[in-house]
Amino acid sequence: MAEVLLSEEEKYYLVLGVAQDIRVDGRSRLDYRSGDVEVNTVTNSHGSVRIRLAETDVIVAAKVDLGVPKTETPNQGIIKFLVDCSPTASPDFEGRGGDQLAETICRILSSTYAKSSSINLKSLCIVPKEFCYIVDVDILVLQCGGNLLDVIAMGVKACLGTCEIPRASGTRYDLGKPVPVFSKDEFQFDYLDVSKAPVIVTLPRVGRYFVVDATLEEESCSKGKLAIGVAPDGSITSVDKLGKACYQVRSIAASVQMAAKVGVDVNKVLSDRINKLKLSKLHSAKPWPPKPEEGMDVE
Amino acid sequence: MKPKTIANCTRSLVKGGAKNGIRLGARGIHEFRTAKISFGNSVGSCEAVLLPGTRVFAQASAAIGEPSDSRPGEGAFTISVWVSPAATGEMVGSSEKPSAIARTLERMFKENRAVDLESLCIKFGELAWILRVDVHVIEMNGCLQDTAALAVLGALLTFQRPQAEIDVNTDELVVLPLAECTPVELHLFHLPAVMSFALCDEILLAEPCQEEEDILPGKLLVGINDSKELCHLHLTHPIEQELLLEATKLAQAQCLDRLNMLKGLVEEVKTQREVPIYKRPQGPRATGTVLSLSALETSSRNRSEKKPSIKYLSPLITASDINMLEELCIL
Amino acid sequence: MSNDSDSQMEVGQSDEFERLKGQTKSESLFPKPPLVNPKTNKRQDGRSPKDVRPIYVQTGVRDGAKGSAYVEMGTTKVLCIVSGPKDLPKKMDLSSTGIISVDVQLVGGKMSEKDVILIKECMEAVVILEKFPKCLLEIFLTIMEDGGSSIAASICAAGLALVDSGVPIYDTPVGSTLLYDGKDFYLDPSKSELDSVDLTDSEKNDSGGGIVTMGYLPTREQICLFTMEGKMDAEVLASAMDSLTNVNLKVFAVIRHHSMELMKEFKETKSKVNK
Amino acid sequence: MQKDSQSTQSTAEEEEYEIDPEEGVPVPKRLLYADDKLKFKPKILTGTPCMPGQRICLANEYFEAGEGAYEFGESIYASALGFLQTEEFPEQELTVVSVKRGDGKPPFTAPYVGAVVTCIVLSRTQKLCRCLITHVGSVKLDDVVKGIIRREYIHEKHRDLSEVETSFGVGDTVLARIVGISDGDFIMSTGEDSLGVATAISSAGYYMVPVGWTRMECPKTKETLPRKVAKIVQDKNVEYWHRRNMIKKESDAKPEKA
Amino acid sequence: MAYRTHLDDLWEQQIRPDGRTPHELRNITCQMGIFHPQASGSASFNIGNTKVMAAVYGPHEVRSSQKKHHNPDKMIINCEYSSATFSSNERKSSTKADRKSMEISSNLRSVMEHIIIPDIFPGSQIDVYVELLQDDGGSYSACINAATLALVDAGIPIRDYAVAITATMSHSVCMVDINAQERGQCAELTIGVLAQSNEIIVLELANLLQNFYLKDVLDEGIKGCAAIYKILEEAVRQKFNKMEQSLV
Amino acid sequence: MDESDRSNIGMKRANLDLNDEVGNLVMPGDEFSIPKDSSKVILGPGLRSVIDKRSNELKTIIACKAGLLRKAKPNTFFLEMKTRSYHSFKKDDVLGIIKQKSKGEHYSIDVACRELRAQLSKNAFEGATKRYRPDLQVGDCIYGKVMDFPKDYPLELTCVQPSGKACGLGSLNGGHIFHVPVHFVRALRTASPKDNLLQKIGRIVPCETAVGANGLVWVKASNAVLTILVAQLLQTLSKANPDEYGTYLNKFNSTVRTVV
C-alpha cells in the first residue's frame, strides 16, 4: 500500500515533535487537517460525494437498486460496500496491487455498518421477503495522503446521507403479489437517516502518543493503529487493532476515550455539512441526464 | 525454430526494400496474400490459411443456456482465442497477443452485431442458445487478425443448430432431433473481414509477414463488411489522411473478392451436405424484442416454477439419437 | 420538496403501505431465547454470566509437525499446526524480517477475511520476526467446531503451538471473548448466545450491546489483538476490557499449568537420555 | 547485540524513545542507557523452568540473551519454553543466558547471517551458482531455502582468479557460511579452508575423493575434476553426510543386485 | 412514435437531441495539477458528463515487475486505464484487467510512446494512469486528452500534443463529439491527431460507418481536434501564467 | 520376463552386431554387442556406450536416436538422421545473431535453437586485443565456429581458426539471413562439388552465401531484389524433394532474367 520511506532521523524528528504536541504541519495531536465535501460528482448515480482531506481524495457513489432481501433478515434492506484503489493514488495500486488494502477497508466498513444499529436497515425494505432496496456504495480512492480510513468513513456517511432513495408511493397487487409502484416524478425521493451513523477515528501511535488524522509520514512512523468507530452520541460502534503492534490496556482505554471525544465533534461537523448539502441539492437545478427509472430494473 | 532476434541486415533489407517497392516475400507492395479456406466435417468448423504460413482454425458450437440479465431477449456469443505453443517458439499463454485478436474479433462480430442474436432466443429471459467460437492459431506468420476473422466468418456461415422451441401448452423445452427437422443456420446481418497493413513512412505494405510486422514501425487494421461499411479501425502509428483513405480503398476492393470467394466455398459445402437446409425468412424475429410489463409478469411467474425439462418428441428414441442430439447441442 | 396536495395523496397511499409492512415482524419470525433465565440467574448452558466454559489444552498432538496444539473451549474445538521456516514465495521476496502466513479452516463454513487478518497481525506482533530473516512461518488453524468465541480459542491454540514448536516469541498469547447485551457482560459466550443478540435492530438496543474479543500477553501485560463490534460507551468498554483481562489471566493459568507438565516430561526424557 | 535489542524493541509497543521527566523531550533510549548500566550481578540459578515471556534478569553489560531468550528494555526475557541455562565467559566477565528445552527436540533454527550451512548446488553460471540450503549447523530444515554463492566469494585470497566452473559442479554438497542477504536470497561464501565441496559425484556415478586442495578424483574411472575442496574439520554435518552417503550407496547397490 | 418524428424534424433543422448544432462541442473543463504533491503530473478533463482523471508518475527507475524484458537504453512507458465501478449507467462490479480496459491501456501506451521523446530518460520508467469517473460518450478520446495534459503538467518532454475527439455521420450530417444517447443510433469514430503535424494517430470505430463517408468524418473530426487543442493550450497557458505570477 | 523372450516378442532388440546393421534403420533403445575383435570403436552421434556400474567396463552400446546406421572407414559408427533441430558438435560452423552485449567479456548469441545458449568472447576475432577489437551491435550476424560446449554452460563460439586467421569467420554485414531445416543445411554442406546447389545458384546469380550447421543461411547478392529471390529459392527448395530441384532452378533462372 501507499507508504513513504523515512530515515531513522526523520522519524525521530517527527516523534519528537509529536511528543511536544507540535506536528510537522503545525497541528496539535487532536487537530484535523482542512478538507471539503462536494456533492453530485458523478451524476449518473443516486448519490455521490467527493471528499478531500488535505491530500487524501476519495469519491463515494451510491446506486440504489431493487432486489430481494436476505432470507435471514426478511424485513431489512441491504447495503454493500466496494472499495477500489485507483492507481492514480499511487503506482503500488497498479493492477491488483491495491486489493489487499481495499479488502481490509471494505471489511471494517461493512462490520461497522452491518453489525451495529447505526442505520435503520428496515427503512430500506419495501415489501418484506419480496422487495427491498440494495444500496451499492462504491468507494474510489483517487489519492491517498494518509488517514484514508477516516476519510472514507466520512465520505460514506455523507454519501448515504445525501443519497436519494426513490419513494415507493405504494404497492399494486399483481397476481396476488404486492409490487411496489414508483412515482414517475424523479424529485420524489427520501433520504436515509444517518443521524446514528458512525465515523471512524484512526489513531496511529507515534512514539508514545496517539495522534488524530495522521499524514503518510506519521503513519510510516507507527507500527500499528486503532480504528475506532464513533457514533454521534459518543458511543463506540467498532474497534479494530490494525498492524503488528501491542498496546497496554490503559493506553487502549485512553485512546478510546480520546476517539469518543474527537468523534463526536467530527460527527457534528459532518452532519450539519450534510444538511447544507441536502439544501443545496434541493435548490440545484434538475440533474441531467435523467436517472434510469427504478420501476423497470427488476431482473 | 526461427531465431527470436531480428538481424540488422534483414532490418535494413526490409526497410530499404519497402522504399523501392521490394518485399521479403517477393510480393508487390499492395499485393495481398493468397487465402485458402477449407471446412471440416463437423458443422461450423473452418480453417483459414494465409500463405505463406499463417494458419488459423475456428470451431463454432452452440449449447442451450440462460441469457445474460442485461439482454434477456438475446442469445449469448463468446469468442475465445488460443495461440498454440507450436505456432510461436515459446509459450504465449497469457500474453497480449491472443487477447488483442479476441478484442478485434469481438468488436467486429459482437459489438457490430454481425450475428442475429435475437434469433437465438428460445424463451425470453430464461432459455437461449449460447453460441461460442473457439479460434486456434496453429501457425503464425503475421496477419493473425485477417486470418482469424476469415476463419470465424467461415465457421459461422457453415454452422447449423437443431431447432428448439417451447411447447405452448405444456411449457417445456422441445429439442427436435435432426431427423425430424431441418437444422437452422445462423443469420448474419453482414459479413465483416479485416485487412492489415504495415506502415513505413508514407508507404503501405499490404498484409505483412511476421518479420515485416516486427521491423516496420506501424500497423493499420481496416475492417470492412460486404456492404462496404467500415466495422473496425485500428492504428498504431501516425499516418497521413490520404494514406489512410487509400488503405481503406484497397481494403474494400480486396475484402469484397475475398468474401465472394468465401461465399462460393460455403455454397459448395452446403450443397454437399445431405441434410436439406431450412432457410429462415429474412429479417429479425418477433420473439423477445419488446420488454413489456406482461413479459415481466410471465418471467416472474415462471421464475418461481421449476426449470423446464428437456423432452424429446420422437416416440422411439435410440441412444444414437441422443448422442447425435447432444453432439449438436453441446458440440 | 413537493406541494401539499400530492403529499396528502402520498400519505393516503403510504399508510396502507405501512400496514403491509407491519404484516411481518422479525420477532414473530425468529423468536430469540433470553440470554439468562430470569428465575435462576443462569445462562442457557447453566453457568452464571461471569463463568468461563471448561478449557482443555493439549500440545504435540501431531508428530512430524514442528509444533502443534489442540484447544477446547466448551464446544469450540481448534487444532493448530505450525510449520517452517520455509523459503519465501517468489512474489513476496522483498522483506528483511520473517513473514508469517496464517490459514484458517472453519469446518463446514468459512472464516471471515477480517478475522483471519486480525489473527495474522496478532501473531506478527507476538513472534520475534528478526530471528528468522527471509523465511516464512506457516500457521494452520483448523476450527473443528465453532461453538462461539472461536477467535479467542484460535489465539490460544496458535500460542500453544508456537510454544510447542520453540519458535521465539515475546510472550504466550491468550484470548477471550465477551458479549454485552446493554445490561451486563457475558464472558466467553457460546454460539447460540452470540446468534441470539441482534445488534442491528435499533429499536431494542439503544442501550447498546456488542461483542469484544481481546488477545492478551499476560506477563507483558499487553494487548496483541483487539476487536469490537456493536455499540458501547467508552466507560463500558473500559470495564469490559478489565473483566476480559481477568478472564485471560484465568486462561493463561491453564496454559501455564499445562506447559509446566510438559517441562516435567522434558526432565524425564532428559534423565532417560542420560541413562 | 545492540542492534538486536533495538529491533526487538521496535516490534513491541514501547518505541525506542523514552520521555525525560523534566522537559518531556524524548531521547533515544540507547543514548540514555549507554553509560549508567546497573553494575551488580545477581545470582541466576540454572535449571529453573521458564515460560516464553517470563522475565529472567537484568540486561546489563554482564548479561546477554542467548538462544531461547531475548532482551527488551533493560531486562532479559525467555522466548521459548525450557530450562534456564547460563554460560560464563570469564575473560569478558560476560554471562550468556539461554533457555533450552531438555528433550531431544532440536531448537527452532532458520538460516541467519553468519551460520555455517550445508547446501546442494542446483545450477551454475559464470557469475554465481545457485544452491539449496538443507541444514543450518547440525539441524535439518523442514524445507529447503534458496541461496547463491557469488564468484567473488569462492576463495578468500585471489577473488578474481576463482571460477565457478572449476570450483563447483551441479549436485555437489557444499559447506558454506552465510555472509549476507540480497533481495532475492541468501549470499554464501566458501572463503575459509574448512568450507567448500564436501561430497561430489563423478559422471560415472561414484562419490569422488579429494586429492589435494583443488581436485577430486573418481575412485573407479580415475577421472579427476577441479573442485574447491573443503578441509573437513570434525563436524556433525560431515559425520551426518558420511552416514548419509553410506546409506545412500547401500540403497543404490540394492536394486542392482535384485 | 410521436417522439421519433419530433426528433426527425429537429434533424431537419440540424439540431441534435441535446440541442447542439452538429459542429458544436459539449462544454469542456480541464484542470491541471489536481493531485499536485503526490503525482508528478496530473490533470482532469471533463467534456459534458464524461469525466476523466489522469496521473503521471516518474520518470523513476524501472520497477522489478517489468525489469526482465526490457533493454537498459530504452524507456518504459507504462499505461493503465481503469474505469470506476459507477462510471456507466448500469453498475458493473470490479472492472480490473478485463479485455476492454486492457485493450484501451495498450492503445494508450502506443499513443504515449509516439508523443513522448523516448531517448531523454534512458533506462527509466514513466507511469500514466487514467481513471474514467463517468462515461457519457467519447470516453477514450477524453482519456487521451487528459493523459496529454498530465504529461505536460509533469514536465515530460513531448514532441507534440495528442488530442482526440469523436465524430460521426448520421442523417447525412457530419457531427462531432458524440454523447451516449447518440452513440446508440450512429457510428462513433474516435479520431486523434498530433496537433502540429495533422497526422492521425488514433482511430477507433464503434458501430458501422459507410466507407464512402470516411473522408468527411475525418475532416470533421480533425476540425474538432483543432478546437480541443486550443482549449488544452489555453489551460496550459493559464497554469504557467499562474506560475509566473507566483514566481514574481 | 527376461532378456531373451523380450527380444523374441520384438519389444526390444538386443545383442545386435554393429557391422551387420550398417545401412539399416535403427530404433532408439536398440542394444549392440561390443565387437570382440576390434580393439577400438569410435561412436558418433546417436550411439552411446553404457558402463556397468559394479565392474566398470563396457557393457553394451545403445542407440539413443532413430536413424540409419552408417560406418566410416576406421571403425567409426554413427546414425544418420533427418532432424529439423540443431544438436551442436565441436568444430561446427554456425551462424548466429547477437542477442545482447553484456558488460562482461562475452556477447550472447541467438543460434536459432531453443535449448542452446551460445556466447562469443569479445576477443575471439582475428587480431583482436583488449584495446582493439570489433565492436558489434545487437542484431549483427556472426559466422563462428563452436569451440566447445561444457556440460551445463552456454556453448562457446569463436571467430578465429586455430591458425589465428579468420578464414571467412567473423561478422557478416548486408545481405539477408533466414532459417531452413537442419537436414537441408547438411545436404547443402555435404554435397559433392558437381551437384552442389549453391554453385548452381551461383552460376545464375553471383552471390555470397554462408551456411551454418544450425540451419541459418546468409545470402548476399549484388542488389536487394536478387538477395530476396535467392532467399526465396532456398526456402522453397528446402521444402521440395531433391529431384524437383532442376525445375525450380530453371524457373528461378527465368525470373532472374526478367528482373535483371
Side-chain angles (χ1 to χ4, degrees), chain A residues 72 74 107 114-115 117 125-126 128 167 169 173 188 233 235-241 243 246-247 252, chain C residues 1 10 13 17 20-21 24 29-30 113-114 121 199-200 222-224 226-228 230-233 241:
Chain A
E72 62 267 26
R107 298 288 175 189
K115 287 285 177 57
S117 61
C125 176
I126 310 168
R167 178 174 301 165
S169 54
Y173 282 88
Q188 289 187 2
D233 60 355
S235 62
I236 311 297
T237 60
S238 79
V239 182
D240 287 289
K241 185 181 78 63
C246 299
Y247 300 105
I252 286 194
Chain C
M1 291 177 50
E10 293 285 315
Q13 289 176 342
F17 182 37
L20 182 76
K21 245 186 184 175
T24 62
L29 283 176
F30 303 107
E113 203 59 36
K114 174 163 166 256
E121 283 171 344
L199 299 172
T200 52
Q222 285 183 358
I223 291 177
C224 58
F226 195 84
T227 175
M228 173 261 183
K231 191 157 176 299
M232 283 181 164
D233 295 345
M241 283 160 67

Side-chain angles (χ1 to χ4, degrees), chain A residues 144-292:
Chain A
C144 176
N147 199 22
L148 191 55
L149 191 48
D150 297 17
V151 180
I152 287 180
M154 285 188 229
V156 167
K157 182 171 179 179
C159 178
L160 287 176
T162 58
C163 169
E164 303 165 344
I165 294 177
R167 178 174 301 165
S169 54
T171 48
R172 169 170 50 84
Y173 282 88
D174 281 346
L175 321 157
K177 284 205 182 54
V179 172
V181 176
F182 296 94
S183 57
K184 287 282 158 284
D185 174 8
E186 66 178 49
F187 270 119
Q188 289 187 2
F189 49 72
D190 306 326
Y191 287 117
L192 261 177
D193 170 27
V194 291
S195 61
K196 288 181 187 170
V199 295
I200 294 178
V201 180
T202 315
L203 297 170
R205 184 181 173 103
V206 181
R208 306 195 111 202
Y209 296 90
F210 287 96
V211 297
V212 156
D213 184 19
T215 60
L216 273 182
E217 291 77 12
E218 285 159 343
E219 277 175 0
S220 72
C221 293
S222 70
K223 295 287 171 310
K225 43 187 164 179
L226 286 169
I228 302 169
V230 185
D233 60 355
S235 62
I236 311 297
T237 60
S238 79
V239 182
D240 287 289
K241 185 181 78 63
L242 308 174
K244 45 174 185 176
C246 299
Y247 300 105
Q248 285 175 349
V249 181
R250 52 177 158 77
S251 57
I252 286 194
S255 62
V256 165
Q257 298 280 4
M258 195 163 110
K261 205 152 70 279
V262 175
V264 171
D265 310 347
V266 174
N267 269 313
K268 200 179 284 104
V269 175
L270 192 59
S271 42
D272 48 15
R273 191 87 180 81
I274 290 174
N275 295 331
K276 274 208 201 66
L277 289 174
K278 281 182 187 167
L279 288 178
S280 69
K281 268 177 86 166
L282 276 188
H283 299 323
S284 73
K286 196 178 173 104
W288 177 266
K291 279 175 241 56

Side-chain angles (χ1 to χ4, degrees), chain A residues 79 113 116-121 124 160 192-194 196-197, chain C residues 200:
Chain A
I79 296 187
Y113 274 92
S116 72
S117 61
S118 53
I119 281 201
N120 182 6
L121 292 173
L124 284 176
L160 287 176
L192 261 177
D193 170 27
V194 291
K196 288 181 187 170
Chain C
T200 52

Side-chain angles (χ1 to χ4, degrees), chain B residues 5-12, chain F residues 95-101 107-110 120 125 134-143 170-174 177 216 218:
Chain B
T5 44
I6 301 166
N8 290 348
C9 52
T10 317
R11 241 173 236 286
S12 50
Chain F
L95 269 166
I97 304 170
I98 294 185
K99 210 188 302 177
Q100 69 187 20
K101 43 194 293 192
Y107 301 110
S108 68
I109 310 277
D110 180 350
L120 168 67
F125 293 95
D135 173 38
L136 299 182
Q137 298 308 320
V138 174
D140 286 359
C141 311
I142 59 108
Y143 189 44
S171 74
L172 313 165
N173 32 25
I177 189 166
L216 285 179
W218 174 82

Side-chain angles (χ1 to χ4, degrees), chain D residues 124-126 170 206 256, chain F residues 53-54 56 119 152-153:
Chain D
R124 42 176 206 173
T125 66
Q126 278 93 2
V170 173
Y206 298 100
E256 297 191 4
Chain F
K53 269 246 171 116
R54 270 150 289 166
N56 71 85
Q119 65 182 16
D152 37 37
Y153 269 100

Side-chain angles (χ1 to χ4, degrees), chain C residues 34-66:
Chain C
L35 278 174
V36 291
N37 184 338
K39 292 190 247 14
T40 74
N41 188 6
K42 287 279 193 309
R43 284 149 81 172
Q44 293 157 12
D45 47 9
R47 46 185 174 132
S48 74
K50 295 280 168 288
D51 281 355
V52 183
R53 291 175 294 178
I55 299 176
Y56 168 78
V57 296
Q58 183 53 269
T59 53
V61 290
R62 172 82 73 85
D63 339 346
K66 192 112 193 149

